[in-house]
Amino acid sequence: MKDSIIVVGGYGHVGGTICKELGEVLPGKVYAAGRKRAPAEAFCRETDGKVLPLQLDISKPFDASLLESVRLVVMCLDQTDTAFAEACLRSGTNYMDVSANGVFLTDLEQWGRLGEASGTGVLSIGLAPGLTNLLAGEAQRLLEETAQLDISIMLGLGDKHGRAAIEWTVDNLCIDFEVTQEHYRVKVASFTDGKLIDFGAELGRKKAYRFPFSDQQTLAQTLGVPTVSTRLGFDQEWMTRGVAGLRTLGIHRLLKRSWIRQAAIESFERWKLGDDRFAIKVEAQGSVDNKETKVECLLQGRDQSKMTALVAAEVAKSLYTTEFSPGVFHIEQLFRLEQMRDWLEKQASLTVAVR
């Protein structure tokens, strides 16, 4: 009988919160998994036995019989290939991924089209991608025709960010990536093409620049929107503009040197500037009754890592208790914002406006 949940990376920054949330409703059924048993055991002691430890290194071959009793795997680590996820889904174990690696998500999505999955896989889980996808889906439903989606994310530099998230951000400060414009794929550069975004009365207007969050590639396909973009900015605007300036000067290329990259990552870990607030602004342009219409969705909250974990926990509960079709899906293909609204509005401020 498949009745357990394995959270890979379960004693990490985000994974730990997911384990604790799930352990409260499914005590003794949730396993915090990772390469080292000692930290897993130390973490599980904090949960009074509601979460159990498991040593599991997904980079190495594993005994497939492990999955016989596993109903759901929650992945909180970046992976270099889809082999482990494929093994889960072939065995009938549901799988969800909290990582933001666009290449990996695309590869797994394409594998899902082969029809080999017996379980249900859900991708784009968290803040961005994740809540950005659900807000975009809500905006699209309020329009009859949607021509453009612009997503802007503001992160607080005073927030606690896991090392993996910091590494991912630093590594993507100086890359080129593809977006969809008028149904065509075009290449753009990270931290260019800045826009001034109104994040509400408290946060005000802040600059945000293009950044390779995977939601912009996904939503162009799943929602069929001709033009989609995602931008990133920080609560400390001098930092946002400073990073953009380094990009303009070409100094960003220095991040490719390992010691400079490492210094940048450690600086982000040490510095606690600003506070822990985050905001997501989704602007959808289209029409209703042949009249130009704009929908704006604004979500403001604190502690983006906790919010990522709470989204993941809600999806995990649904995958554990509800039967979905086999295959690989993005969050907006199986869930709507309305399903998250009750708990979400207790954690953050949400406004939706049609203009």
Side-chain angles (χ1 to χ4, degrees), residues 6 28 40 54 90 102 113 129 141 157-158 163 188 217 219 231 261 263 266 298 302 307 316-317 326 338 345 350 353:
I6 292 178
L54 177 66
R90 282 197 186 97
R113 295 174 189 159
R141 277 186 281 277
L157 291 175
R163 186 175 180 86
V188 298
Q217 286 91 8
L219 293 168
R231 288 176 170 80
R261 172 185 179 273
E266 291 176 357
L298 177 62
R302 292 183 178 274
M307 185 61 71
K317 292 172 191 174
E338 196 62 31
E345 290 185 334
L350 173 64

Side-chain angles (χ1 to χ4, degrees), residues 54-116:
L54 177 66
Q55 186 171 8
L56 177 64
D57 187 347
I58 61 169
S59 67
K60 298 178 180 178
F62 71 101
D63 185 353
S65 65
L66 170 71
L67 298 173
E68 290 177 1
S69 62
V70 180
R71 184 168 179 80
L72 171 66
V73 168
V74 182
M75 178 59 65
C76 301
L77 304 178
D78 285 332
Q79 300 170 84
T80 56
D81 62 63
T82 60
F84 180 78
E86 290 175 21
C88 292
L89 292 166
R90 282 197 186 97
S91 74
T93 297
N94 296 330
Y95 174 91
M96 51 182 281
D97 202 296
V98 187
S99 69
N101 184 329
V103 173
F104 171 83
L105 298 181
T106 298
D107 288 347
L108 186 55
E109 179 185 39
Q110 291 175 347
W111 175 85
R113 295 174 189 159
L114 300 177
E116 297 181 16

Side-chain angles (χ1 to χ4, degrees), residues 129-149:
L131 284 177
T132 53
N133 300 53
L134 296 179
L135 289 167
E138 180 72 7
Q140 187 201 42
R141 277 186 281 277
L142 294 172
L143 297 169
E144 291 177 356
E145 297 287 338
T146 306
Q148 183 169 329
L149 281 171

Side-chain angles (χ1 to χ4, degrees), residues 15-311:
T17 302
I18 295 172
C19 282
K20 289 177 180 177
E21 288 288 320
L22 296 178
E24 288 298 320
V25 294
L26 294 165
K29 300 292 186 182
V30 182
Y31 291 82
R35 288 181 300 171
K36 299 177 181 179
R37 188 170 182 86
E41 290 177 338
F43 167 77
C44 290
R45 283 194 290 271
E46 299 174 11
T47 71
D48 296 324
K50 293 177 182 177
V51 180
L52 305 175
L54 177 66
Q55 186 171 8
L56 177 64
D57 187 347
I58 61 169
S59 67
K60 298 178 180 178
F62 71 101
D63 185 353
S65 65
L66 170 71
L67 298 173
E68 290 177 1
S69 62
V70 180
R71 184 168 179 80
L72 171 66
V73 168
V74 182
M75 178 59 65
C76 301
L77 304 178
D78 285 332
Q79 300 170 84
T80 56
D81 62 63
T82 60
F84 180 78
E86 290 175 21
C88 292
L89 292 166
R90 282 197 186 97
S91 74
T93 297
N94 296 330
Y95 174 91
M96 51 182 281
D97 202 296
V98 187
S99 69
N101 184 329
V103 173
F104 171 83
L105 298 181
T106 298
D107 288 347
L108 186 55
E109 179 185 39
Q110 291 175 347
W111 175 85
R113 295 174 189 159
L114 300 177
E116 297 181 16
S118 297
T120 302
V122 186
L123 313 179
S124 302
I125 306 291
L127 189 76
L131 284 177
T132 53
N133 300 53
L134 296 179
L135 289 167
E138 180 72 7
Q140 187 201 42
R141 277 186 281 277
L142 294 172
L143 297 169
E144 291 177 356
E145 297 287 338
T146 306
Q148 183 169 329
L149 281 171
D150 293 297
I151 302 167
S152 302
I153 300 157
M154 189 219 73
L155 298 180
L157 291 175
D159 202 349
K160 294 180 181 178
H161 303 285
R163 186 175 180 86
I166 294 172
E167 289 177 344
W168 183 84
T169 302
V170 169
D171 289 341
N172 283 282
L173 288 173
C174 56
I175 69 167
D176 294 339
F177 60 99
E178 289 187 339
V179 298
T180 301
Q181 292 183 0
E182 298 296 336
H183 294 298
Y184 290 97
R185 304 286 279 184
V186 299
K187 187 168 284 190
V188 298
S190 177
F191 254 84
T192 63
D193 192 16
K195 286 189 175 183
L196 200 59
I197 307 299
D198 185 355
F199 285 109
E202 285 189 31
L203 295 172
R205 296 164 67 86
K206 297 184 182 295
K207 207 72 174 286
Y209 294 83
R210 288 190 180 274
F211 206 72
F213 289 103
S214 61
D215 51 11
Q216 58 201 311
Q217 286 91 8
T218 299
L219 293 168
Q221 303 300 319
T222 59
L223 300 185
V225 179
T227 301
V228 186
S229 69
T230 305
R231 288 176 170 80
L232 171 67
F234 306 113
D235 61 338
Q236 302 298 302
E237 198 159 7
W238 63 268
M239 175 66 82
T240 308
R241 293 181 182 273
V243 173
L246 293 176
R247 174 85 200 203
T248 301
L249 294 172
I251 300 175
H252 66 282
R253 296 188 183 91
L254 294 175
L255 288 172
K256 294 180 180 179
R257 298 182 181 179
S258 60
W259 70 272
I260 294 180
R261 172 185 179 273
Q262 187 64 26
I265 291 169
E266 291 176 357
S267 295
F268 271 106
E269 282 187 311
R270 286 197 306 268
W271 293 347
K272 295 301 174 189
L273 307 168
D275 58 27
D276 64 350
R277 288 186 293 180
F278 71 82
I280 299 172
K281 179 76 169 284
V282 174
E283 300 169 281
Q285 299 179 41
S287 62
V288 175
D289 293 331
N290 294 319
K291 295 181 180 178
E292 288 189 9
T293 306
K294 184 176 183 179
V295 178
E296 295 182 352
C297 301
L298 177 62
L299 182 72
Q300 298 173 304
R302 292 183 178 274
D303 193 345
Q304 60 88 24
S305 295
K306 180 182 178 182
M307 185 61 71
T308 291
L310 292 178
V311 174

